[in-house]
Amino acid sequence: MNICVTGCCGFIGFHLSKLLIKKKINIFGLDTINNYYDINIKKNRLRILNKYKNFHFKKIDISNYRKLDNFIKNKKIDILVNLAAYAGVQYSLKNPYKYFNANELGFLNICEISKKRKIKKVIFASSSSVIGDNKKIPFAENDRTDKPISLYGATKKNNEILAYYYSKFFNINFVGLRFFTVYGPYGRPDLSIYKFCDRILKKKEIILNNFGNHYRDFTYIDDVVHSIWKIIKLKKINKESKLNKNFNIFNLGGGKSIKITYLVKLIEKYTNTKAKIKFGPFLKGDIHTSKANTTKIKKYINYVPKTRIEKGLKEFIFWFRSYYKI
């Protein structure tokens, strides 16, 4: 089997590629290795992946149609997993064109090339950020998502809309995964767990926005990539829809809403270091609470998140201290 993973040097793309390599899958990995966050961690991820003979890397920006198509045309790709994107809410406020080019134009190219090259299955990253101004908790896949409060969330919602169209008219199976705050070893340095660990261990001040009254559904990376593997193996994509049997959206979350102040207490406990906390206001584009309803994905792949925040956080802190020699 030949699988193309875009964003293979990103956090989820790296761990998924590692898992697929162990499954003896032939992996074609694409990434721009951009400087959205520390480029060295991306290079270190790639260094690990390049050790394996069934991993083949090419530096390509998916917003460049010609280069992307030239790369894919002779590879006989069975499944394409699109994880390449600019992520993060706050960065999107200041860099709208980066998000549009990578997340929207890039995804359009993925759709068009999948049609042209007859790739029958595309799994793509959506986000819990499509929740937008929806106050209903927990968040289910069929809830309204037409009121985005961040550009990032809007681009991910637009990906879902494009995927629906291409799946319906061109017989391509599309599966969108709404990730809920994924964390773990080799994680993204711009996310809260990473930043809090870094600053607490260095005895620097951390800022808790919304005066610490945020709740997040944290999802451990192993639960995520093993779920993607099960979805890759799924024969029937949609058991329910009478309108479009080639399209589905799944929430992929931990299923519990964790208060940020509790997260900080756990980091203090596991690092044996007292945090210097400063409380800040609610930030534009942010959401108060995230929690995934995972009933739907459980029907398809018997999804039950195995890693509680306490265990996952210990694993992350162990990696973090080893990686940075702290």
Side-chain angles (χ1 to χ4, degrees):
M1 182 186 290
N2 294 326
I3 296 180
C4 179
V5 179
T6 73
C8 65
C9 300
F11 172 38
I12 298 175
F14 163 67
H15 282 278
L16 177 63
S17 296
K18 263 207 319 180
L19 176 65
L20 295 177
I21 285 166
K22 290 178 182 178
K23 301 289 185 184
K24 309 300 182 185
I25 306 294
N26 202 31
I27 305 300
F28 295 97
L30 306 179
D31 207 294
T32 60
I33 316 182
N34 62 46
N35 62 354
Y36 167 56
Y37 57 76
D38 181 12
I39 201 168
N40 291 314
I41 196 169
K42 297 181 181 182
K43 289 181 177 178
N44 286 334
R45 292 170 184 152
L46 180 58
R47 194 172 293 118
I48 292 168
L49 296 175
N50 274 334
K51 292 177 182 179
Y52 299 93
K53 291 182 179 179
N54 56 327
F55 177 80
H56 317 279
F57 177 74
K58 184 73 173 178
K59 188 175 181 180
I60 288 178
D61 186 335
I62 63 169
S63 66
N64 188 318
Y65 178 90
R66 183 181 59 80
K67 287 186 178 180
L68 182 61
D69 186 49
N70 283 341
F71 177 78
I72 285 185
K73 67 179 180 182
N74 296 319
K75 301 296 188 299
K76 296 182 179 178
I77 301 297
D78 299 296
I79 296 172
L80 194 154
V81 184
N82 184 53
L83 301 172
Y86 274 95
V89 169
Q90 298 306 316
Y91 194 72
S92 71
L93 295 173
K94 299 177 181 178
N95 299 276
Y97 287 98
K98 285 184 178 181
Y99 279 71
F100 183 85
N101 286 331
N103 298 14
E104 301 224 34
L105 178 58
F107 190 70
L108 175 63
N109 289 342
I110 292 290
C111 294
E112 275 293 310
I113 290 168
S114 295
K115 178 183 75 173
K116 181 179 180 182
R117 301 301 172 188
K118 295 181 169 41
I119 298 171
K120 291 300 182 184
K121 191 171 186 178
V122 178
I123 300 168
F124 67 97
S126 186
S127 170
S128 60
S129 291
V130 301
I131 294 169
D133 214 18
N134 189 344
K135 302 294 192 297
K136 177 179 168 289
I137 299 294
F139 181 62
E141 290 87 347
N142 59 356
D143 289 340
R144 288 188 65 175
T145 52
D146 57 355
K147 294 182 179 179
I149 56 173
S150 70
L151 181 70
Y152 170 60
T155 65
K156 287 301 178 181
K157 178 58 183 176
N158 287 342
N159 284 178
E160 294 180 3
I161 294 168
L162 271 177
Y164 185 90
Y165 163 71
Y166 277 87
S167 65
K168 186 171 179 66
F169 290 101
F170 302 107
N171 198 31
I172 305 167
N173 288 329
F174 275 87
V175 182
L177 300 176
R178 291 176 179 167
F179 296 124
F180 282 70
T181 318
V182 184
Y183 73 101
Y186 282 94
R188 279 171 42 200
D190 61 316
L191 292 179
S192 59
I193 286 178
Y194 204 114
K195 290 192 290 187
F196 290 167
C197 284
D198 181 53
R199 297 189 73 80
I200 289 171
L201 284 167
K202 292 176 181 176
K203 296 179 168 54
K204 293 181 179 180
E205 185 179 78
I206 63 170
I207 299 175
L208 300 186
N209 298 321
N210 197 29
F211 306 99
N213 291 312
H214 275 311
Y215 295 79
R216 290 291 179 269
D217 188 344
F218 292 100
T219 319
Y220 193 64
I221 186 62
D222 288 359
D223 290 330
V224 169
V225 296
H226 282 98
S227 297
I228 297 175
W229 170 239
K230 288 181 179 180
I231 289 168
I232 285 170
K233 295 188 294 179
L234 265 184
K235 293 284 191 290
K236 291 184 179 180
I237 299 300
N238 201 330
K239 303 172 184 176
E240 301 159 0
S241 175
K242 295 179 181 178
L243 296 174
N244 185 357
K245 294 186 180 300
N246 287 326
F247 176 81
N248 222 329
I249 295 290
F250 292 119
N251 286 341
L252 198 41
K256 289 188 176 181
S257 212
I258 307 294
K259 193 172 184 180
I260 293 298
T261 50
Y262 177 66
L263 176 75
V264 172
K265 286 178 181 177
L266 287 178
I267 296 173
E268 289 179 317
K269 178 182 177 182
Y270 299 150
T271 61
N272 196 30
T273 307
K274 184 68 177 173
K276 297 178 181 178
I277 299 172
K278 179 182 178 181
F279 292 104
F282 189 87
L283 293 182
K284 183 180 180 181
D286 215 343
I287 59 173
H288 179 272
T289 301
S290 72
K291 184 180 179 182
N293 181 328
T294 56
T295 303
K296 184 178 176 183
I297 193 170
K298 188 175 182 179
K299 289 181 185 177
Y300 284 76
I301 63 169
N302 195 28
Y303 173 74
V304 178
K306 295 179 179 179
T307 312
R308 292 170 56 87
I309 186 65
E310 293 82 3
K311 182 178 185 296
L313 197 53
K314 281 182 181 178
E315 294 287 338
F316 173 77
I317 291 171
F318 178 80
W319 167 81
F320 188 91
R321 300 191 84 158
S322 300
Y323 185 81
Y324 288 106
K325 308 291 191 294
I326 297 178

